[in-house]
Amino acid sequence: GDSVTQMEGPVTLSEEAFLTINCTYTATGYPSLFWYVQYPGEGLQLLLKATKADDKGSNKGFEATYRKETTSFHLEKGSVQVSDSAVYFCALSDRSNTGKLIFGQGTTLQVKP
Amino acid sequence: DGGITQSPKYLFRKEGQNVTLSCEQNLNHDAMYWYRQDPGQGLRLIYYSQIVNDFQKGDIAEGYSVSREKKESFPLTVTSAQKNPTAFYLCASSSGGYTGELFFGEGSRLTVL
């Protein structure tokens, strides 16, 4: 079945460092891809999404490009802040039209001042 | 403000007791979902509903039950048959389809004593 694999955390960076969180997927067909962020004690919020190959999603300085040839959707940010400390989830939506998402295991990011 | 409200935020129960988690949305979304979150395992789908009076099992439905009598409401009952119920439970809704995002509530943390 469809699945999502993220790099293991936790990831610890200094403020203003470059961030990459790797995400690869396995799916039949061409899923839509998402990054969600979860701050401590809260639910998930959509960070960005891409619905077809070569699309780039971006929001709040974060970017991710839908790469069909490598089945990847890596999350990047040029300069992280302490406030970016959170858990990041990569997810895919299959083409079944149910709207349900399949999530990766999450990657914890800690940014130190 | 539009959104999803989950209650209670924290819940303790004794072994052998059923407990019901509430989820209400005022986004006028047709589809609603229940996910379970465990540390290091990401989110796993318990049940979902695409329309009133209809719902489908997700990947880990055993020991859980749901109802969808109103568009706004999708309560989850954790029964005594659920072997390991201690977890963080997240409710979400969407307008449906494979490109739509999920909107999440703030979650309910259930602890079995």
Side-chain angles (χ1 to χ4, degrees):
Chain A
D2 295 355
S3 65
V4 176
T5 302
Q6 294 180 229
M7 65 185 286
E8 294 207 12
V11 174
T12 303
L13 296 173
S14 297
E15 207 164 22
E16 298 184 4
F18 184 86
L19 168 71
T20 300
I21 299 178
N22 291 338
C23 171
T24 57
Y25 67 89
T26 301
T28 53
Y30 304 103
S32 295
L33 301 172
F34 304 81
W35 276 102
Y36 280 80
V37 58
Q38 183 181 35
Y39 298 103
E42 298 184 8
L44 277 68
Q45 305 170 26
L46 179 68
L47 184 58
L48 52 84
K49 72 177 186 181
T51 58
K52 62 182 187 296
D54 300 325
D55 267 3
K56 177 186 282 189
S58 61
N59 186 27
K60 299 181 183 178
F62 291 89
E63 293 183 341
T65 301
Y66 188 164
R67 302 282 188 204
K68 188 180 74 167
E69 62 277 9
T70 55
T71 61
S72 65
F73 193 54
H74 304 322
L75 181 68
E76 297 181 335
K77 186 176 186 184
S79 175
V80 293
Q81 305 301 312
V82 172
S83 57
D84 293 326
S85 298
V87 182
Y88 292 82
F89 291 92
C90 186
L92 69 81
S93 174
D94 63 22
R95 295 282 167 164
S96 65
N97 220 36
T98 61
K100 58 182 180 176
L101 298 187
I102 297 167
F103 287 86
Q105 71 269 38
T107 302
T108 300
L109 170 65
Q110 184 178 25
V111 180
K112 296 187 173 180
Chain B
D1 281 0
I4 298 183
T5 302
Q6 288 187 241
S7 63
K9 195 171 175 86
Y10 299 96
L11 186 61
F12 298 88
R13 96 161 196 214
K14 294 181 180 178
E15 281 193 24
Q17 291 181 332
N18 292 356
V19 62
T20 297
L21 307 180
S22 170
C23 177
E24 302 278 332
Q25 56 103 354
N26 60 5
L27 299 168
N28 200 33
H29 284 163
D30 287 318
M32 296 187 74
Y33 311 82
W34 275 105
Y35 285 89
R36 169 179 171 143
Q37 184 178 12
D38 295 285
Q41 293 194 46
L43 278 70
R44 294 180 289 169
L45 183 65
I46 305 172
Y47 269 98
Y48 65 101
S49 168
Q50 293 180 271
I51 198 168
V52 174
N53 292 322
D54 189 38
F55 49 82
Q56 285 78 40
K57 292 181 180 180
D59 300 316
I60 56 165
E62 185 175 350
Y64 299 98
S65 65
V66 294
S67 62
R68 187 84 188 277
E69 297 176 1
K70 298 186 300 181
K71 187 175 185 177
E72 303 79 22
S73 179
F74 191 41
L76 173 74
T77 297
V78 184
T79 75
S80 56
Q82 168 49 234
K83 291 183 173 54
N84 186 18
T86 295
F88 191 52
Y89 292 89
L90 287 159
C91 180
S93 71
S94 84
S95 53
Y98 55 81
T99 60
E101 67 175 282
L102 295 188
F103 293 81
F104 283 86
E106 295 208 338
S108 293
R109 185 167 298 281
L110 172 64
T111 302
V112 174
L113 304 173

